[in-house]
Amino acid sequence: MTLDDLRVFVAVCRAGSLSAVARDLSCTQSAVSQHVKRLERETGVRLLERRPRGVVPTAAGRVLCEAAADGIAGLDLALRRLGDLVNGEGGSVRITTGGTTVRHFMAEAIVSFRRRYPKVSLEFQTETSSRGCFDALLAGDPDLAWVTVGGPVRGIEQRPVVELPWVLAVRSDDPLAARPRIDAADLAGIRLVRLPPNSTSGAHLDTGFAELGVRTGSDTSVADWDTALLLAELGLGHAVVPAVPGLTAPADGGPLRLVPVPALRPLPVGWAVRRWDALSPLARSFADAVAASCTAVRGRGGI
């Protein structure tokens, strides 16, 4: 028994004629009859009764026709919805990420994606850490998570998109502001506005400091990079932060300077998913749009 058998049988019951269905399907009447006979062999009952002017379903045939028609209608609706997902005529993409990520990494991609798929819903769920994003993915709610890429996580696939160099954020009147670059020796003993040590990016930075033999102090901790930049601008300390796409500081006339720290290993960030091969076409399209946007910003000279 095949789906085609059921489709042809329902068509015959509605038309009351084998020949009429054969004409509609551009096939022979014998081919239509074979579909019906296959169903009768599978069910073990007679499904059609011949009349002088065509055929009508038997009592058993009516039972099968009603059930098959309902099932085919539901399947056709599902196939249309799947087609909408593929063609961008409906559906949603669910993304979990940190509070400032959308502005730094996704703004341009969201605009371009919305122009391409105006009827698709974008749903953002905020988490405070990469670990929180991984937990949300494992719970099965979001399609994609934007994270700081770190060590392996069971049940999660990570894909780096961009590596972020580190910069030292200082006020323009700080002696370090005039440097073209910051070396390891320049970092020794400075007071830092720190990212949480339990965050992936904070742990990455601490590892980098340890590799360079740098010891720093800190009396201020923040939950995100933007707050660290603000506090550095206010003169409450220095901040070593990743240079997110588009991050710039004026060469003169502004209170903040961003000085490269090339000795620190770049911070990899990108996508995490449960399985790449199971992503919907829309989710994959959004992930690709963000990656392309990050590359474009880099090409235009963003830090």
Side-chain angles (χ1 to χ4, degrees):
M1 185 186 300
T2 68
L3 184 58
D4 282 344
D5 293 336
L6 292 171
R7 287 187 184 277
V8 170
F9 175 67
V10 171
V12 169
C13 290
R14 289 173 173 171
S17 168
L18 297 173
S19 58
V21 173
R23 287 194 301 271
D24 290 342
L25 298 178
S26 299
C27 64
T28 65
Q29 183 171 326
S30 176
V32 172
S33 180
Q34 288 301 314
H35 285 288
V36 177
K37 288 180 179 178
R38 187 155 44 235
L39 289 175
E40 290 180 331
R41 286 197 300 270
E42 289 287 336
T43 60
V45 295
R46 190 172 184 81
L47 298 174
L48 291 179
E49 180 182 340
R50 291 188 177 275
R51 296 284 180 85
R53 294 187 177 182
V55 295
V56 295
T58 63
R62 287 194 296 272
V63 171
L64 181 61
C65 180
E66 290 174 4
D70 289 343
I72 289 170
L75 180 59
D76 286 343
L77 176 60
L79 291 174
R80 286 196 299 272
R81 288 178 176 174
L82 288 174
D84 289 343
L85 290 176
V86 173
N87 298 323
E89 293 299 321
S92 65
V93 179
R94 296 163 298 175
I95 307 102
T96 183
T97 186
T100 63
T101 299
V102 173
R103 175 155 56 93
H104 287 308
F105 295 95
M106 301 182 186
E108 290 189 5
I110 290 172
V111 173
S112 64
F113 184 86
R114 174 63 67 224
R115 288 172 179 166
R116 184 177 180 186
Y117 303 110
K119 298 181 181 179
V120 174
S121 172
L122 287 174
E123 302 172 11
F124 293 94
Q125 173 184 328
T126 301
E127 295 290 343
T128 58
S129 66
S130 293
R131 180 68 261 176
C133 291
F134 294 143
D135 290 342
L137 278 176
L138 292 172
D141 186 30
D143 303 299
L144 297 158
W146 184 266
V147 299
T148 299
V149 177
V153 178
R154 186 179 180 86
I156 298 292
E157 297 181 28
Q158 300 179 68
R159 180 170 297 182
V161 171
V162 64
E163 290 192 334
L164 306 175
W166 294 89
V167 295
L168 179 69
V170 297
R171 281 184 58 86
S172 57
D173 55 3
D174 189 285
L176 294 175
R179 300 285 185 89
R181 54 181 282 170
I182 300 297
D183 296 320
D186 300 321
L187 296 171
I190 66 174
R191 306 297 294 178
L192 284 180
V193 176
R194 297 294 302 274
L195 297 173
N198 60 342
S199 68
T200 307
S201 54
H204 182 101
L205 183 59
D206 287 343
T207 299
F209 283 154
E211 291 172 349
L212 297 175
V214 172
R215 291 187 177 183
T216 61
S218 175
D219 51 20
T220 307
S221 178
V222 297
D224 61 81
W225 304 329
D226 282 359
T227 304
L229 287 170
L230 175 61
L231 295 183
E233 183 178 328
L234 295 174
L236 300 182
H238 300 76
V240 177
V241 298
V244 295
L247 179 64
T248 59
D252 53 31
L256 193 66
R257 295 289 182 273
L258 303 175
V259 188
V261 188
L264 290 171
R265 289 184 293 109
L267 181 72
V269 296
W271 290 116
V273 300
R274 291 182 295 278
R275 282 180 50 193
W276 282 104
D277 60 1
L279 274 183
S280 71
L282 288 173
R284 189 179 298 275
S285 179
F286 184 78
D288 291 344
V290 172
S293 175
C294 290
T295 301
V297 171
R298 291 282 182 187
R300 293 197 298 268
I303 292 179

